[in-house]
Amino acid sequence: MTITQGKKGCAVWKDGEVDQVPAFNSEAKDLVGAGDTFLSVASLAAYLDAPAEVTGFLGNIAGSMAVSTIGHSKFLEKVPYMKYMGTLLK
């Protein structure tokens, strides 16, 4: 189970443990669609039985990208997503 927490990131419960994963974007421009975008990625990770912290991390990247776009006018695209993830992992 995953609970999104806005500026605080998300909490992911798996196998009786809760992992808190921080948010990556503290200056949201528009919150519309952020939860849907988070879910679109986190649900795939959960389906593939990824560890809880990975599921939250991947979902938070997607949510962070969604809140940086006014009006949710852009789709989540693979290349910018992967570049952003690479930047976070450096």
Side-chain angles (χ1 to χ4, degrees), residues 26-77:
S26 60
E27 296 186 26
K29 294 179 182 175
D30 190 350
L31 304 179
V32 173
D36 295 333
T37 307
F38 174 96
L39 179 64
S40 69
V41 174
S43 62
L44 293 174
Y47 175 77
L48 294 172
D49 203 29
E53 61 273 6
V54 173
T55 298
F57 176 73
L58 295 174
N60 279 353
I61 292 171
S64 176
M65 292 178 75
V67 299
S68 66
T69 304
I70 295 176
H72 197 58
S73 58
K74 296 180 183 177
F75 292 104
L76 182 64
E77 296 182 24

Side-chain angles (χ1 to χ4, degrees), residues 24 41 85:
F24 302 118
V41 174
M85 182 181 356

Side-chain angles (χ1 to χ4, degrees), residues 3-46:
I3 300 170
T4 57
Q5 300 174 310
K7 293 180 189 177
K8 295 180 183 179
C10 69
V12 183
W13 178 84
K14 183 177 180 180
D15 299 328
E17 294 186 25
V18 176
D19 287 301
Q20 186 70 37
V21 183
F24 302 118
N25 187 337
S26 60
E27 296 186 26
K29 294 179 182 175
D30 190 350
L31 304 179
V32 173
D36 295 333
T37 307
F38 174 96
L39 179 64
S40 69
V41 174
S43 62
L44 293 174

